Structures are given as structure tokens and as C-alpha cells.
Amino acid sequence: MSITFSLIAMCLLGLTHFINGLVSEHYPPIRIALYTHIGGFIIGLACALALSNWHIEAILWGTLAGAGSALGALLLYRGLSIAPFGIVVPVSAVSMVMISLGLSLIFLSEQLNIWIWMGVVTALPAIWLTAGGKAIRQVLGQRKAGVGLILGLSAGVGFALQLHFLGQIPPQATFYGIALCMLSGGLCLLPFCSRKSSNRKRFAFFATAAGGISALGLTLYALSREGQLAIVSIMIVSMYPLIPVIFGSMMRKEAISNTSKIGIGLSIVATMLIVAGTH
């Protein structure tokens, strides 16, 4: 059952980015991020009330995690509105894992082992190949690829902060932490949203649904860790970029070069190696 939870969580998290990536072509990224957090809070709170216990520390760490989540979501969906799925999603995923590693080294005094070093060494060429395998100056000179690379890397910073702060919440209050994270993220984004009403309400619905799917995926991921080694759950869930990259590129009819395919594959390998070493 734990393996099944992990696989479903991976699909749900990937589906979130797939849905919102498509919506980003028609709807402002900041509104997508806002409604995603609203949907995530609704489902997250329901899961917390049913499955979790309250702890006062969930307020502090959940609030801080929400700020990181808001930043990551806004930059990710901005990137997906401009650049191909095959660049933005894998780059953001690798960036998230590597920055999370750095935060653990700095604040938690965790030590590097051979698995982590292998992941770091693999991640650097993975990002380069995903962006096309060209000189950095040349990549940045291409509007879509350059902006997608920068926004993907920056989104990883926000998501890394989210994961780091959620990791400080006592295990028995994890689901409350997820709900408060989504609430805090929505409140951070709300002041920056235009008050001008939009008649494209169906896109707001899709973004809200995607947020609920994301919260459900995080909940299943947390549940999957209770019945098996944590590394098994993490390794499976870390492959979530496959969903938006494959299906998103198909829907947009984006051609993925062989170089980028190698980079995407190496990105997933690098992520799996690093999470293997940290658990």
C-alpha cells in the first residue's frame, strides 16, 4: 500500500504542474498561484482534521513554508507561461533539491556522502543539457530558454525554502503544517493580485483544483513514508517532473531535442541520488 501511495503522490504532484502549466498560457501566473494555494488549503485542512494532531509549532513553520511556496509557485508558473515544460520543470526540480541540500548543510549540520556528491556532480551538467547544451551566454540570449532557465532556478529556491520549513514541523502535525503552508502562501500572494475581475472563471477553477490535487499528493506522500523506508517514497515521488514534461510537451506540441532528453533524464537521476544520500 505504501508503494501505491508513493506512485499516486508522484502522479498527483506532476499533474498539478501539468494543469497549471497549460492554464498559464491563458491566465495570469500570480492568480494561478493564488488559487492553487486556496485549493491546497481546502484539501489540506480536510486531511489535517481527519489524519493529524495539532501542534503549536505548525503555525510558525507552516507560515514560513507558505512564503517559500508562494514564491516558488509564482516563478514556476511564470516560467511555464513563457518557456517549454522540458526546461522549466526539470530545472526547478533539481534546483529545489540542491538548495534544500545546502540549507540542510548550513542549518542542520548534515554531512555529505558519496551519494550526495554523485548527485551534485550529475545535477550541474543535467541543468546545462536540459537548457539545450549550449553556452550559458547563448542560452540566456534566447528569450524563452533563457527566461525559463532563470525562472526555473529561482522557483527551486522558493520550493526549497518550503520543504526546509515544513521539515521543522513535528511529525504528528505534518498535515496541519501543509494546510497552514497553503493558507500562508495564499495570503502572501493576495495583495499582489489585481482586483480587476476576470471573466475566465474556468481557469480559476482549474488552478484551485490543481492546488487540491497538490495537497492530496503531499498527504499521500507523507502517509507512504509511514509504511516503508523514507528513501523509497522520496525516490518515487522525485520522478514527478516526468508527468508535466511528457504530457505538457505533447499538449503544446513542443519538440524536445535529444540533448534536452538526456538532461531531463540526468535531472531525475541527480534528484534521486541526492535524496538517497540525505536519507
Side-chain angles (χ1 to χ4, degrees):
M1 184 60 72
S2 295
I3 292 289
T4 302
F5 281 166
S6 300
L7 289 169
I8 296 175
M10 182 267 287
C11 292
L12 292 177
L13 293 174
L15 182 60
T16 298
H17 292 331
F18 169 65
I19 293 173
N20 282 339
L22 296 180
V23 172
S24 67
E25 294 182 302
H26 312 283
Y27 204 59
I30 193 164
R31 283 187 172 270
I32 296 174
L34 173 63
Y35 285 113
T36 296
H37 281 83
I38 292 174
F41 170 67
I42 294 171
I43 299 301
L45 181 61
C47 292
L49 292 172
L51 302 170
S52 193
N53 295 316
W54 173 249
H55 195 287
I56 191 66
E57 289 188 32
I59 297 178
L60 171 63
W61 298 118
T63 300
L64 292 174
S69 178
L71 176 64
L74 176 59
L75 294 174
L76 178 69
Y77 301 136
R78 176 60 177 164
L80 288 174
S81 70
I82 298 173
F85 277 86
I87 290 179
V88 181
V89 177
V91 168
S92 66
V94 174
S95 172
M96 174 187 70
V97 173
M98 291 191 67
I99 295 170
S100 295
L101 171 62
L103 292 173
S104 296
L105 290 172
I106 295 171
F107 296 104
L108 303 180
S109 300
E110 294 185 350
Q111 300 298 316
L112 296 180
N113 55 40
I114 186 63
W115 294 101
I116 295 175
W117 278 118
M118 289 171 61
V120 171
V121 170
T122 304
L124 298 177
I127 293 174
W128 175 60
L129 290 170
T130 299
K134 301 174 182 177
I136 296 298
R137 182 178 298 178
Q138 186 176 355
V139 173
L140 295 177
Q142 298 176 350
R143 182 178 179 274
K144 288 187 176 182
V147 173
L149 179 63
I150 293 172
L151 289 174
L153 290 170
S154 301
V157 175
F159 290 133
L161 290 172
Q162 177 192 19
L163 291 180
H164 179 74
F165 291 129
L166 283 178
Q168 311 309 306
I169 299 173
Q172 69 270 24
T174 296
F175 302 132
Y176 276 107
I178 293 172
L180 288 169
C181 169
M182 294 298 180
L183 175 62
S184 171
L187 292 175
C188 288
L189 292 163
L190 185 60
F192 301 99
C193 285
S194 170
R195 295 187 179 184
K196 182 179 179 180
S197 61
S198 173
N199 58 359
R200 295 174 291 181
K201 294 182 179 180
R202 66 182 184 279
F203 296 124
F205 169 78
F206 288 139
T208 304
I213 291 171
S214 176
L216 184 58
L218 289 172
T219 300
L220 289 175
Y221 162 67
L223 289 174
S224 73
R225 295 182 57 168
E226 296 179 2
Q228 64 188 5
L229 294 175
I231 186 55
V232 176
S233 297
I234 294 171
M235 295 276 279
I236 293 173
V237 173
S238 67
M239 293 188 289
Y240 79 87
L242 285 173
I243 305 295
V245 168
I246 293 174
F247 293 101
S249 298
M250 289 172 58
M251 291 292 293
R252 285 186 177 178
K253 297 181 180 179
E254 298 169 347
I256 303 176
S257 67
N258 291 331
T259 301
S260 294
K261 289 177 182 177
I262 295 172
I264 292 168
L266 286 177
S267 297
I268 296 170
V269 171
T271 301
M272 295 174 71
L273 286 171
I274 292 174
V275 298
T278 53
H279 293 77

